[in-house]
Amino acid sequence: MKSNTIYPPMSKREISGAAISREAATQGMVLLKNINGVLPLKGRGKIALFGNGAARTIRGGTGSGDPFNGGLSGGGDQDVDQSLRYHINILNAMETEGFEIVNREQQMAWARCYDLAKREMKDQVMSVFAFPEEPLTTEKLEEYAKETETAICVISRNSGEGNDRFMKKEVSIGDKRYEIGDYRLSAVEMDNLKKLRSAFSSLILVLNVPGSISVQDLEAACADAILLMGQAGQEGGAAVTDILTGKATPSGKLTATWAKKYEDYPTAGNFLQDFNKAVYTEGIYVGYRYFDTFNVEPGYGLSYTTFALGNLEASLDEDTLVLGVTVENTGAFAGREVVQIYVSAPVSEMDMPEQELKGFQKTMLLAPGEKEDIKIRIPLRNLASYSENAGGYILSKGDYGVRIGTSSRDTKPVCKIRLEQTALTEQVLVELPLTETLEEKKGLTDRKDETIWKDVPVLLAVQIPETLDSRSAYSDEKVVTYATDTSYQPVMPYETVRYVEKKEWKLNDVKRANYLWKNYGERITDAEMRMALQSRTDVQSLTGAMPYAGIGKILKYIQKQTEKRKE
């Protein structure tokens, strides 16, 4: 992005910050599919762009999920999304890169409708804005296809605090109701993709989404390539253009498992069945732990290039596992790879998943043929798991199988770590025990294929991590909530409510701290006063919703009163 396109021109700090944001965004993008090397795009020229997210790319979630830079959460203009200073849409970035958008007029006409509807939304910060996709016609697509063989369709979604996702949802625009896609694609999106597939030789999907969407629907689109850009911040449009053109090679990995179909998730049967209570029946089998243990097929990230892992090494340095591997770029593009360490714990004392991710490291940018030696250190303490019976974290006796790879389904066994006896690594207090029976999913009592470990070295863990005592030093961890509303009832089992009279006060009273001490000082215990001196947030909890700016002076006043009490 050139600074002379913006007035006033961007400062050096802004330009530097934008470059960092752009680089970080490219590093997190995940290539999910790439048939016949359709990506990266070959050269520049004409291209067709579709989907709301092309001209109105979503940079982040709502509320605190919005990467603020002149954004709404800071009181900025609601049209900040159209400012090249604060937000780069995909369409603008593609044009800056030298592409001609053959359907630009159609895209911008629909974007103006999008903007009008967004301005009418009352809550611009916390609400999730959704707008229906424009239905495409075969006639128009055939016209665009005469100018280019390649279409890029951007599927966009948004979510945020207090806004759970659904399969699909509906929105009102004017006096009409529209179906909007969420986890599943909407009927209009499915129909558009079918027409795009028929009209263009190459179809590329860009997923501008905050979380997983239906792989079942994506597969039905029969796209040649699928790129997960996520919500990539203010430079997202420029970053995804870098990936599409090959200026950057995708090296991101999925941070959450995308199931082939929704029913494959262990929580599919009970999620949001009760809006007042969430029942975690999956137990420890969250994400890949479930898919790997019960052999359900997930997805993972690809690259424009290929890598090979060699020279696998493993040793123990006192109570730390040290792993070494050489990563070589064996393909034709420069790129990065993520080395991942998975550990299979013994099931000698409690239920455990097939394997768990315990360490990872991304390589530097490797040119074709270039190698890098990677060292990853994992303290044995990090292999411990929580045991209800032990009241803390334990390393179970038995063998821990260690694998090195680039995804949970692409690993090589490297060693076993043997513990001859169970060790308690951390003692904790059980503060919130279950108040009712929870039927959790149980796993396997043995491993799937023990033969894969027969030729790996066995490292005997001689030095065991010492036990950490993380039990609270306080004898009473109860919390006091001061409320003026007498109908308020305790929410947590450790909460006590004290009702106080509601009185008016002004900022100047808080600033001088006179009102604070007069009305709160006598109620604050010595323990609460010590707590307040350690944390600004605790002062707010003691004094109610007082202005944050005056807390520094309040703390000084409390300090003086503490000294007087000592006297």
Side-chain angles (χ1 to χ4, degrees), residues 274 277-279 388 432-439:
D274 185 342
K277 181 172 65 175
V279 183
E388 290 185 66
L432 293 173
L434 293 176
T435 57
E436 57 185 273
T437 302
L438 175 63
E439 294 295 331

Side-chain angles (χ1 to χ4, degrees), residues 8-265:
M10 291 175 67
S11 67
K12 290 183 178 180
R13 186 180 67 174
E14 284 181 294
I15 294 172
S16 173
I20 294 171
S21 176
R22 183 170 178 169
E23 168 67 14
T26 63
Q27 294 263 343
M29 294 184 184
V30 185
L31 184 63
L32 298 174
K33 183 180 181 181
N34 195 24
I35 295 177
N36 299 324
V38 67
L39 287 178
L41 297 170
K42 312 301 185 288
R44 307 297 183 264
K46 294 183 178 181
I47 203 163
L49 270 178
F50 300 95
N52 290 342
R56 294 295 178 258
T57 311
I58 298 174
R59 69 177 179 273
T62 61
S64 58
D66 181 8
F68 169 69
N69 189 352
L72 294 166
S73 56
D77 191 285
Q78 61 186 2
D79 289 332
V80 69
D81 288 356
Q82 285 88 67
S83 168
L84 291 177
R85 183 182 221 101
Y86 300 125
H87 182 65
I88 309 300
N89 291 297
I90 294 174
L91 185 147
N92 302 112
M94 294 291 282
E95 288 184 327
T96 300
E97 190 60 31
F99 288 92
E100 180 185 344
I101 312 303
V102 299
N103 61 325
R104 188 185 200 283
E105 186 177 333
Q106 179 187 16
Q107 268 283 312
M108 295 312 298
W110 194 255
R112 286 190 286 273
C113 298
Y114 179 105
D115 296 339
L116 286 172
K118 193 170 189 293
R119 290 189 194 105
E120 293 177 0
M121 188 172 67
K122 293 180 180 179
D123 182 0
Q124 292 284 339
V125 177
M126 297 300 294
S127 294
V128 172
F129 175 73
F131 193 72
E133 291 287 344
E134 179 181 14
L136 303 176
T137 65
T138 301
E139 293 74 24
K140 273 289 185 183
L141 295 182
E142 289 177 350
E143 181 182 324
Y144 298 141
K146 292 176 182 178
E147 299 188 64
T148 179
E149 296 181 346
T150 303
I152 297 176
C153 183
V154 183
I155 296 174
S156 60
R157 301 284 189 267
N158 205 358
S159 63
E161 303 167 59
N163 291 281
D164 281 320
R165 297 183 63 201
F166 296 88
M167 287 293 183
K168 296 179 184 179
K169 51 190 176 186
E170 289 188 345
V171 296
S172 294
I173 306 293
D175 58 354
K176 292 184 178 181
R177 298 284 292 173
Y178 295 89
E179 180 191 65
I180 301 292
D182 199 347
Y183 176 76
R184 298 296 301 266
L185 301 188
S186 68
V188 170
E189 286 175 316
M190 293 294 288
D191 186 60
N192 284 350
L193 289 172
K194 183 177 179 181
K195 291 174 180 175
L196 288 170
R197 178 69 285 178
S198 177
F200 293 90
S201 299
S202 297
L203 175 59
I204 299 163
L205 298 187
V206 173
L207 308 182
N208 177 209
V209 297
S212 60
I213 59 177
S214 171
V215 174
Q216 200 171 8
D217 290 350
L218 294 177
E219 288 183 337
C222 299
D224 298 290
I226 302 176
L227 176 64
L228 171 62
M229 72 169 289
Q231 293 177 341
Q234 69 178 57
E235 294 289 318
V240 76
T241 300
D242 288 344
I243 295 289
L244 292 171
T245 59
K247 279 188 173 182
T249 298
S251 60
K253 303 290 183 179
L254 290 174
T255 57
T257 303
W258 289 38
K260 288 273 187 178
K261 58 182 185 295
Y262 181 73
E263 291 74 22
D264 287 340
Y265 291 111

